[in-house]
Amino acid sequence: MHQSKPGTLFDKVWNDHVVVAESADTPAILYIDLHIIHEVTTPQAFSLLREKGLPVRRTDLILATMDHSTPTTPVTTFKDLEVAGEGAARQVRQMEENCREFGIELLGFESINRGIVHVIGPELGATQPGKTIVCGDSHTSTHGALGALAFGIGTTEVGHVLATQCLLQRKPKTLEISVSGTLARGVTAKDLVLAIIGKIGVDGGTEHVIEYRGDAISSLDMDARMTVCNMSIEAGARAGMIAPDETTYEFLSGRPRAPQGADWDKAVARWAQLRSDDGAHFDRSVSLSASELSPMVTYGTNPGMVIGVNDAVPDRTSDPSFRKALDYMQIAAGKPMTEYDVDVVFVGSCTNSRLTDLQEAADIVKGRQVAAGVRMLVVPGSQQIKKDAEALGLDRVFTAAGAEWREAGCSMCIGMNGDTVARGQLSVSTSNRNFEGRQGVGSRTVLASPMTAAASAIRGKVADPRPYLQD
Amino acid sequence: MKAIKKIVSRTVVMPTTDIDTDQIIPARFLTTTSREGLGRFAFNDLRRDADGNDNEGFVLNRPETRGCNVLVAGNNFGCGSSREHAPWALLDYGFKAVISTEIADIFKNNSLKNGLVPVVVTADVHQNLLARPGTEVAIDIETQTLTIDDGTSIEFPMDGFARYCLLQGVDQLGFIRQQIAAIESFEEQRPWTP
Ligand code: SF4
């Protein structure tokens, strides 16, 4: 890792993985350390290998699981799969077959390690600082929270990585986002990242890799850092990264796929180099303060349409795209979101389904009841988180309040497994996308933090979580 | 991928900004294990109502847009999910190129790998195209020019390698595999084990 001039965290990881340098005529060939695969974006890639008679080059660098099309009710037989729908069941079975045929270990239904791709990578310690990580899934940016260069790819590229462990890539640009100050009580990493997207726009990061820096970022725990990096793609960025530090090492230490013993010490020494040097060049820089932020909620049909929970929805109705979004959402300009009734509350997804998230939601729900007519669904990000949460009694807090407690999966974040929001219903969701129809045809999604989602479930209307905080 | 040199077609205009890949093909159609036949789901929830009947107001349901192979879309087209099903659906529907002021990264990559040509233009060219649906345009990949029937001809940016792959119909996997010796030596020399 010899840098002649000051480099960014991104530059260092990138440079370490260039197999063939880029030129004016050809992109770089970049080596991939960890390839995460799931059932939705891989079947056509495996078909390609079959057509060409190619094996998988490095089965040892693949982490395979099933999360999108999987039921969140227990699965012990094939029949149990059918609740997710016929297509979903077929896709899950195809994944099992592909992994068997190509010799890939699959964390399937019998595994305690099964879960959402972006939750289990860090949880197992497979996600590590300085690695290049890809997955046929845009929220691969999540893994950047540990100082990895991690980004989503398409299915054709999944095929390239399966066959060669490499990708053709043009070097992206860099965007520094510095966040100063501290988040107030009741305001979380989710609110911070929503505020960032609101500030730079849903295309603000296009063609860039973001590095999040500053006091407000380094004081976040790993779960919160993952929430921030997760939504980098919602700002259009390829990836989001945070330099590894003590918090990162503490999180990784002892995890099953993290280095152990003497290897651990060597790894930490190497990881300690992974930070942007003083004077390193970023193509763009943005800064904001975390201290003034309030809990954030979206009101429109993309994550950049976001306001403080008590603020009035802005009036930009002269813009046809803005008007279309408000019409779809059945939301009026000029009123705060707290005036709207809630039908569904979803706590889950790779953005907010880790133990801290569930704990934050449970702390608000504890000893209270979900409002009449509201359906609240809590879906842990992995089977391990489910188990850990149950050991803390969180499942009983949720079920006693009238919420549903499920098996791990993507669930209502994308509505591919039968868990959907019905047409016209308003959902307060801890997921990452409020696109038209994302949670089901005609669903109206309000993105929020686990605390805001939990408070909204209790109130029956979109709620500021701060009055609901309990000691 | 088949080689592509030139696309000549009338345009379909969808001026909405930030059209995401969930709108291009909703997630419930992703349970397929094939890449064929997705055109019938392209823009499904905009094209059809709750009962599956065509939404008369939607642009693709208007007879004059039949056979138009170039989509002119609002800024930041293709944002959101990385699903390659989005360009697969657009191509299968019959689209050959997308023109916008900005096209999201992953969607752009996926499109190029399948022969759907992303054309990024300036705001004034975009305004011109948005204002005149059905305009005949010619997209020449060799010269990277977009010619509009009012005589305007402009150059659009395209990565040199992407252009070469489109023109020659290059198999990119084959291209990477030519470097297998470099990949092997990289694996041997890397200072850490992942
Ligand atoms: S939880 Fe949602 S965003 Fe995350 S991987 Fe699953 S579907 Fe994608």
Side-chain angles (χ1 to χ4, degrees), chain A residues 67-68 116-118 137 139 230 349-350 410 413-414 432 438:
Chain A
D67 51 5
H68 285 66
I116 304 174
V117 275
H118 312 309
D137 196 290
H139 290 99
N230 173 273
S349 89
C350 56
C410 295
C413 171
I414 189 164
N432 41 54
R438 172 75 178 188

Side-chain angles (χ1 to χ4, degrees), chain A residues 210-413:
Chain A
I210 298 174
E211 181 180 341
Y212 300 96
R213 317 176 69 190
D215 300 345
I217 299 296
S218 38
S219 63
L220 297 176
D221 64 24
M222 281 318 298
D223 285 4
R225 291 182 190 187
M226 287 187 242
T227 301
V228 172
C229 287
N230 173 273
M231 290 191 72
S232 304
I233 180 71
E234 263 60 67
R238 285 311 303 273
M241 301 177 82
I242 295 173
D245 60 11
E246 287 306 323
T247 307
T248 321
Y249 309 148
E250 209 168 290
F251 173 89
L252 274 175
S253 166
R255 294 195 179 256
R257 302 196 185 189
Q260 316 283 337
D263 286 343
W264 170 261
D265 297 334
K266 267 193 267 169
V268 171
R270 189 160 48 76
W271 296 341
Q273 311 297 313
L274 296 172
R275 52 185 58 255
S276 292
D277 299 321
D278 291 339
H281 169 78
F282 289 91
D283 294 295
R284 273 174 60 209
S285 295
V286 171
S287 57
L288 74 159
S289 163
S291 307
E292 291 99 66
L293 293 179
S294 40
M296 305 293 286
V297 287
T298 61
Y299 57 87
T301 53
N302 73 52
M305 301 178 83
V306 65
I307 45 176
V309 64
N310 299 308
D311 298 343
V313 171
D315 191 349
R316 285 196 280 121
T317 42
S318 58
D319 170 356
S321 296
F322 185 90
R323 205 168 49 230
K324 176 173 175 281
L326 256 50
D327 285 350
Y328 177 87
M329 287 297 292
Q330 301 167 40
I331 296 290
K335 290 206 293 183
M337 291 303 291
T338 47
E339 295 195 10
Y340 292 91
D341 289 338
V342 170
D343 301 297
V344 177
V345 167
F346 172 60
V347 176
S349 89
C350 56
T351 314
N352 282 126
S353 63
R354 285 168 284 268
L355 194 60
T356 327
D357 303 312
L358 304 185
Q359 183 78 63
E360 283 173 0
D363 286 348
I364 286 197
V365 164
K366 192 166 186 159
R368 297 180 169 134
Q369 285 299 309
V370 171
V374 175
R375 176 186 185 200
M376 181 179 187
L377 191 70
V378 185
V379 184
S382 70
Q383 292 300 89
Q384 182 64 52
I385 292 171
K386 175 170 186 266
K387 196 173 149 207
D388 294 347
E390 287 170 356
L392 294 171
L394 303 188
D395 58 323
R396 291 187 298 280
V397 171
F398 289 119
T399 51
E404 298 168 51
W405 176 250
R406 293 295 185 89
E407 304 291 307
C410 295
S411 182
M412 238 180 226
C413 171

Side-chain angles (χ1 to χ4, degrees), chain A residues 131-150:
Chain A
K131 276 192 179 183
T132 44
I133 302 177
V134 296
C135 173
D137 196 290
S138 58
H139 290 99
T140 309
S141 59
T142 314
H143 306 261
L146 288 88
L149 172 60

Side-chain angles (χ1 to χ4, degrees), chain A residues 13-31:
Chain A
V13 182
W14 173 273
N15 291 342
D16 276 349
H17 291 85
V18 174
V19 175
V20 177
E22 72 180 320
S23 69
D25 294 335
T26 52
I29 295 186
L30 197 69
Y31 197 81

Side-chain angles (χ1 to χ4, degrees), chain A residues 50 60 167 180 189 201 212 230 399 425:
Chain A
R50 263 186 218 105
D60 58 327
L167 265 186
S180 60
Y212 300 96
N230 173 273
T399 51
Q425 289 198 331

